[in-house]
């Protein structure tokens, strides 16, 4: 999937991320700085940096190969932002991702986030299944998932 | 040392201090919680707070998040897990958690109030 297609007049940054936990905080800071000069709404910039950070955490935890691709696009007039993260993964992780995605995408973002929190509190497998629900609720954006073969692409559009 | 005899946490990116207040204890978090598995640090810490509050019959924990710049979703899970423990308490052992949040930190404004919905009446936010 070409993540940079149809860019038009949008500004963008594109990073290839060799999944290492330590890089996440640094990339989050970088994205925050990039957005500080790209958009006016700082609360929105914070939410996007949080979302990117959660997506990168997932990439580090669940990608099967080193390379993860992250693109952040900014439409200058509307301040519409698109973040997309792409990686390859195992059948099991992809199936789990699809389950979580299908579960949270329908309901009200707030209700789903609280429901996932309650479930997370009693899980015993060490996972939280909270990241995607958090992103959807906190950013108020449109989350979408594309799967082709062993490649997953999670993107979020924030108006 | 505080009245629950719990050691504060001082890691590279996160500090958690505990101080006595008349109605219970106050915990102050500063820094970032963004490690891969925050439950290693937070689960035992919150468990000690919880059992100490019950053992001493204290009324309130003030959880001051104002200095916490970042908390990842695994960290939110650890906080949610602590809060959910309040559901098991009876009249004699019950205590409340009062969350202090920082209006200038975006995630705190969006995520911290949702924690009050986990256990009705158990958590307050200001
Ligand atoms: N980039 C990815 N590639 C493959 N699988 C993924 C990816 N992101 C998420 N998943 C799968 O989807 C599940 C849900 O992800 P989500 O971020 O909501 O929760 P989590 O990572 O389990 O916990 P948390 O983010 O709350 O610490 C994960 O447990 C994992 O199985
Ligand atoms: Mg996650």
């Amino acid at each position: 999937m070409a993540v940079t297609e149809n860019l038009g007049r949008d500004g963008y940054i594109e990073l290839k991320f060799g999944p290492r936990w330590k890089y996440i905080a640094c990339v989050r800071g970088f994205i925050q700085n990039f957005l500080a000069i790209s958009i006016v709404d700082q609360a929105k910039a914070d939410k996007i940096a949080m979302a990117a950070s959660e997506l990168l955490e997932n990439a580090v935890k669940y990608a099967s190969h080193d390379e993860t691709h992250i693109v952040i696009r900014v439409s200058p007039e509307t301040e519409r932002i698109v973040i997309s993260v792409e990686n390859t993964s195992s059948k099991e992780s992809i199936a789990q991702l699809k389950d979580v995605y299908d579960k949270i995408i329908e309901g009200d973002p707030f209700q789903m986030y609280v429901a996932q929190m309650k479930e997370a509190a009693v899980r015993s497998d060490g996972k939280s299944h909270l990241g995607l629900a958090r992103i959807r609720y906190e950013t108020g954006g449109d989350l979408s998932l594309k799967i082709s073969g062993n490649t997953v692409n999670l993107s979020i559009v924030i108006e | 040392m505080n009245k629950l005899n719990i050691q504060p946490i001082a890691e590279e990116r996160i500090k958690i201090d505990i101080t006595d207040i008349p109605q219970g204890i106050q915990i102050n978090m500063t820094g970032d919680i963004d490690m891969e598995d925050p439950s290693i640090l937070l689960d035992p810490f919150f468990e000690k707070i919880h059992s100490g509050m019950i053992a001493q019959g204290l009324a309130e924990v003030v959880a001051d998040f104002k200095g916490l710049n970042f908390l990842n979703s695994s960290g939110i899970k650890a906080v949610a897990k602590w809060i959910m423990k309040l559901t098991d308490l009876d009249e004699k052992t019950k205590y409340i958690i009062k969350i202090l949040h920082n209006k200038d930190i975006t995630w705190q404004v969006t995520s911290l109030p949702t924690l009050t919905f986990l256990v009705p009446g158990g958590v307050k936010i200001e």
Side-chain angles (χ1 to χ4, degrees), chain A residues 54-55 57-59 61-62 128-132, chain B residues 73-74:
Chain A
E54 291 285 349
L55 293 174
E57 283 196 7
N58 284 352
K61 288 196 275 193
Y62 312 114
S128 312
H129 285 187
L130 206 54
L132 297 176
Chain B
S73 48
S74 317

Side-chain angles (χ1 to χ4, degrees), chain A residues 17 19-25 27-28 31 49-63 68 70 85 87 126 128-132 134-135 154, chain B residues 13 32-38 70-76:
Chain A
F17 187 85
R20 295 289 177 276
W21 197 267
K22 279 186 178 170
Y23 302 166
I24 298 171
V27 173
R28 184 171 69 235
I31 289 169
M50 180 282 296
S53 187
E54 291 285 349
L55 293 174
L56 289 175
E57 283 196 7
N58 284 352
V60 175
K61 288 196 275 193
Y62 312 114
T68 291
I70 176 165
V85 174
N87 59 270
S128 312
H129 285 187
L130 206 54
L132 297 176
R134 178 191 195 187
I135 293 175
L154 264 167
Chain B
R13 292 171 61 76
D32 297 275
I33 295 179
D34 57 2
M35 57 286 245
E36 186 159 1
D37 188 0
F70 191 80
L71 178 64
N72 63 12
S73 48
S74 317
I76 291 177

Side-chain angles (χ1 to χ4, degrees), chain A residues 126, chain B residues 9 11 33 35-48 74-75 77-78 81:
Chain B
I9 290 174
E11 302 251 311
I33 295 179
M35 57 286 245
E36 186 159 1
D37 188 0
S39 70
I40 297 173
L41 193 73
L42 297 179
D43 285 359
F45 178 79
F46 289 138
E47 179 48 43
K48 277 183 234 156
S74 317
K77 169 188 160 172
K81 207 167 154 179

Side-chain angles (χ1 to χ4, degrees), chain A residues 21 25 28 42-44 46-47 49-50 53-54 57 60-61 110 113-114 117-118 120-123 125-128 130-131 134 137-138, chain B residues 13 32-37 39 70-77 80-81 84 104-111 113-115 117-119:
Chain A
W21 197 267
R28 184 171 69 235
Q42 282 318 292
K44 188 168 167 182
D46 293 341
K47 289 174 189 175
M50 180 282 296
S53 187
E54 291 285 349
E57 283 196 7
V60 175
K61 288 196 275 193
F110 171 76
Y113 187 33
V114 174
M117 272 187 192
K118 286 186 178 162
V122 294
R123 288 184 83 89
D125 61 358
K127 289 194 164 190
S128 312
L130 206 54
R134 178 191 195 187
Y137 171 64
E138 282 200 33
Chain B
R13 292 171 61 76
D32 297 275
I33 295 179
D34 57 2
M35 57 286 245
E36 186 159 1
D37 188 0
S39 70
F70 191 80
L71 178 64
N72 63 12
S73 48
S74 317
I76 291 177
K77 169 188 160 172
K81 207 167 154 179
M84 292 295 284
D104 295 326
I105 299 181
T106 307
W107 75 265
Q108 295 202 6
V109 178
T110 45
S111 261
T114 57
L115 294 168
F117 291 84
L118 293 176
V119 180

